[in-house]
Amino acid sequence: MSKQFRAAISYAAIAVCSLLLAILLILLVGCDVGKAFYGFFNGILGSSYSVAEVFVKAAPLILAGLGVAVAFKSGFTNIGAEGQLYMGAVAFTATYVLCPGLPKAALLALGILAGFLAGGVWALIPGALKARFGISEVINTIMLNYIALGIVGILLQTALKDRAQYFPVSPTLDDGLGFSRLLKGTRLHSGILIALVCAVIVYFFIFKTSMGFRLRAVGMNPRACKCMGISVSAGLIVSSLLSGGLAGIAGVGEIAGLHHRLIGGISPSYGYLAIIVALLGGNHPLGVVIAATGIAALQVGALAMQRAANVPSAIASIIMGAVVLLILARKTLFKRLLREED
Amino acid sequence: MMALLEMRHIDKLFFGRYANRDVSLQVQKGEIHALLGENGAGKTTLMNILYGIYRRDGGEIFWRGEAADFLSPKDAIEKNIGMVHQHFMLVPTLTVAENITLGLREKGYPFTDRAALSARVAAISEKYGLLVEPGALISSLSVGERQRVEIIKLLYRGAELLILDEPTAVLTPGETAGFFNVLKRLRADGCSVIIITHRIPEVMEIADRVTVLRDTRCVFSAPIAELDEIKLSEHMIGRELAPPTRGKATAAGGEGLVLAGIGLQENGIQRLRDVTFSARPGEILGIAGVDGNGQKALAETIMGIRRPTAGEISLGGRSLAGLSVAARKALGMAYISDDRHEDGLVLDMDLAENLLLKFNRDKRYASRGLIDQKRVLQKLREAVGEYDIRAPSLRVPIRYLSGGNQQKLILARELSDHPQVIVAFQPTRGLDIGASEFIRQQLLAHREMGARVLLISADLEEIRALSDRIAVIHKGCIMGIRDNSDDLDMTEIGLMMAGNPAGEVRAG
Ligand SMILES: Nc1ncnc2c1ncn2[C@@H]1O[C@H](COP(=O)(O)OP(=O)(O)OP(=O)(O)O)[C@@H](O)[C@H]1O
Ligand SMILES: [Mg+2]
């Protein structure tokens, strides 16, 4: 048995376990398993709208997931993609609110840059603290999530509030100024293309450039880097900036492509799901794209399952949690099967 | 007599290549069995199979006459087989006693009586002369001390067969002698030992029987009584050994690497005190000393990895103060660390990437921020050829190379591009005799080309063979510097290593 084959068996076993768990949970809440599964798959593949919906959700997950993956590669445990995403959204909103009358191309270019920088700086703060003083980034990135949400709340009451509205929402982005719609009758916008382009760029950066090389080296053995004259702090600074920047672009996409205005809950925890995406995707850009699409599909399907068979969509979260656990524990669980060469 | 351990016709493949092919090994009770062979011959692999870390692809193992199949190290330890790896496996953030009892369910677990444990550890360490402080943190110990911890750990678990993978590579001759006494006492107690080493005199001294692997196969096995050193080394490398000769002094005039009054204080500990010497172009300055006497601090201070708190270092008349590690490397300063896994390599990167650790900003291999894979690969091929690096493939993580081959890659990387200064800290550690010979020749060649070579080693013979002058370090102080002539007073050197500032100190 080849190594790959054994690995494949272990993944298949995980899939089967998850499926059994799903069936068990559906039975437990007293629903019809057949109906539920039909609802799930129909909800994903049933119409062009539903398929498009998967990619609508995949776009921010890919971007934020790439960000987290870049951070993880350099040993920077970025738990703050959620806050960085919101900061990107704020920056884009501020751009079109503060600079009305910009043509579309200029607005998008400026807005994406602003979003990248805002998200980037949001990650750079804990990044620099770690690089300079060795302060753990885990707590700091989480704390900055709360601060970012607080800032969004305050801005929606003040500077970015649409005066004409009673609710705390920002002015709406003029029609035709945001990301283009890709498919008529769906919500699919060009954010997914930006995400895929970013995936290619990140791949190229990480694996082909010398800066990317240093970043990976820092993540794998900072001590050796120190001895070889590769700056660990520079690696952390670059990776945190890039990481937060990618999450920031995810936030830009949510405003420019989907909501067209800033509101409180633009992200259903994309920033946290991005961590799972990065882990499942093995911190590799291609893996991130696949994992993000898979998780987006799982979410879309779960909502449809809820509508079709009255199965609580929370089951999807449970399954996702279980899958992550199983995959992370895979090497231990399948020790006998995989034992070799590690 | 039934053998304690018998391995018959063992096969093992990695990535479709043999690492062991039809290897057999027999160990009797109360026998010290030396396992010899070149780097990459498959010694560690064979032992890992025995210890339950790898699965064999063919062959049989008999333990106390019964077919045995150890599925994990835990399994092996339960059957009284213990192994100390070539690269230690201790938890640096735990104490000695904690490491020794790690994973054991002691009486009263989880409310183990730590004080009693420490006392038992101390008892074992005293009984065998394996001196360590049970309460000390592993991270604060020298390599030699860590090894003692590893051995105590096995004895604590009642090992009857000890597998020791290159245990003496990190020891000074004095320590080695003490260590051999431990082994002899163990043998007298009826324990068996499999010892892997590259040092033939040691084999002659301690082993009862020898097995030699070459190129994955078992080529030879005989009792030591039938052998002598020359025969043995021929069996090992398949040819006669040509010990390097230093030739006449090549030290040129001109500015060398000069350390003036270097002091290093860290967390209130004085690691280096008033270190003053110079290494001239074309000179090898040997730094002798018992492991853990500030050698690491010295090497790292010279390389800019640590900042001295007193004194100044200059190269070619130019002060190095304030220069980063990268800047020093750019000046042609090469560093071979004693700890290749921590300091010298990124184990999960492949061979080419480990070369790139040095060349990632080098115009030849990375232009406009892009890595030139082709050039790097070409460079790697040259290095692999020149240094005879044996790798299952050029694309595997360097983790999968044998220890000696990992070291060769470091040397190939550090010695390229005519370094001006070479800080060589245990450069031949873990290398087989052929490869050591080659490295020594390389160091001598660089000496001839005018490099300033600092050879820091606990191996006095190596220092004597290569150095023009010998400085002795003890507790962070240079006890004295002597010319390495034929009539060098070795007793004096020994005294200095033990901390006696013998005679007046001749400044370099
Ligand atoms: N886990 C592994 N995966 C792939 N190849 C491996 C692995 N371990 C060892 N090898 C290969 O098997 C061969 C034998 O390696 P081994 O470590 O047993 O050599 P060794 O005799 O201990 O050498 P050294 O004296 O340098 O320690 C080498 O070519 C090595 O690259
Ligand atoms: Mg070995």
Side-chain angles (χ1 to χ4, degrees), chain B residues 14-15 19 39-45 54 86 166 198 392 400 402-404:
Chain B
F14 288 120
F15 304 106
N39 295 128
K43 307 178 293 294
T44 301
T45 303
Y54 293 153
Q86 198 166 357
E166 300 193 26
H198 291 296
Y400 295 139
S402 80

Side-chain angles (χ1 to χ4, degrees), chain B residues 472 474 479-480 482 491-503 505:
Chain B
V472 179
H474 178 259
M479 308 305 291
R482 295 287 175 268
T491 352
E492 190 193 31
I493 297 280
L495 280 171
M496 288 198 279
M497 284 173 71
N500 305 302
V505 176

Side-chain angles (χ1 to χ4, degrees), chain B residues 362-496:
Chain B
D362 191 318
K363 290 268 177 313
R364 289 169 297 172
Y365 307 105
S367 56
R368 280 187 247 109
L370 291 185
I371 294 167
D372 190 336
Q373 303 282 1
K374 253 197 211 135
R375 293 254 192 101
V376 177
L377 217 62
Q378 188 192 339
K379 170 88 191 161
L380 175 63
R381 290 229 171 76
E382 283 167 26
V384 165
E386 191 182 348
Y387 284 78
D388 188 25
I389 299 169
R390 311 236 175 116
S393 112
L394 296 188
R395 279 279 156 219
V396 293
I398 199 144
R399 175 185 297 287
Y400 295 139
L401 265 60
S402 80
N405 283 299
Q406 292 173 347
Q407 182 75 353
K408 286 192 219 167
L409 187 93
I410 293 184
L411 288 156
R413 181 182 72 199
E414 296 299 316
L415 296 184
S416 65
D417 299 336
H418 297 294
Q420 298 295 304
V421 173
I422 302 169
V423 177
F425 194 178
Q426 314 271 25
T428 57
R429 181 165 149 200
L431 292 186
D432 65 47
I433 46 178
S436 300
E437 172 195 290
F438 173 72
I439 296 309
R440 290 176 185 149
Q441 277 159 0
Q442 287 291 313
L443 288 178
L444 287 171
H446 281 278
R447 161 182 179 261
E448 240 153 76
M449 286 185 276
R452 302 128 177 111
V453 183
L454 213 60
L455 175 65
I456 308 175
S457 176
D459 181 349
L460 254 185
E461 290 200 24
E462 177 164 276
I463 291 222
R464 277 222 72 184
L466 298 181
S467 311
D468 295 299
R469 288 182 303 148
I470 299 174
V472 179
I473 190 168
H474 178 259
K475 293 211 170 134
C477 297
I478 298 294
M479 308 305 291
I481 302 176
R482 295 287 175 268
D483 282 328
N484 183 17
S485 52
D486 288 338
D487 52 2
L488 179 72
D489 184 353
M490 285 312 282
T491 352
E492 190 193 31
I493 297 280
L495 280 171
M496 288 198 279

Side-chain angles (χ1 to χ4, degrees), chain A residues 3 204 207-210 213-214 216-217 220-221 223-224 226-230 336 339-341, chain B residues 12 14 52 55 71 300 325-326 329 341-343 345-346 349 353 356 360-361 369 371 400 413-414:
Chain A
K3 219 172 150 182
F204 190 78
F207 293 107
K208 303 290 175 196
T209 68
S210 57
F213 166 79
R214 287 193 286 276
R216 280 185 293 133
M220 287 192 242
N221 187 349
R223 165 85 196 152
K226 199 174 165 193
C227 292
M228 292 302 296
I230 293 173
R336 281 285 159 83
R339 47 173 284 121
E340 197 77 14
E341 275 98 277
Chain B
K12 175 72 197 172
F14 288 120
R55 304 279 300 173
L71 295 173
E300 295 197 346
V325 181
K329 294 215 137 202
H341 282 187
E342 286 295 319
D343 302 349
L345 297 170
V346 177
M349 286 187 153
E353 288 175 311
L356 264 178
N360 65 82
R361 284 179 191 279
I371 294 167
Y400 295 139
R413 181 182 72 199
E414 296 299 316

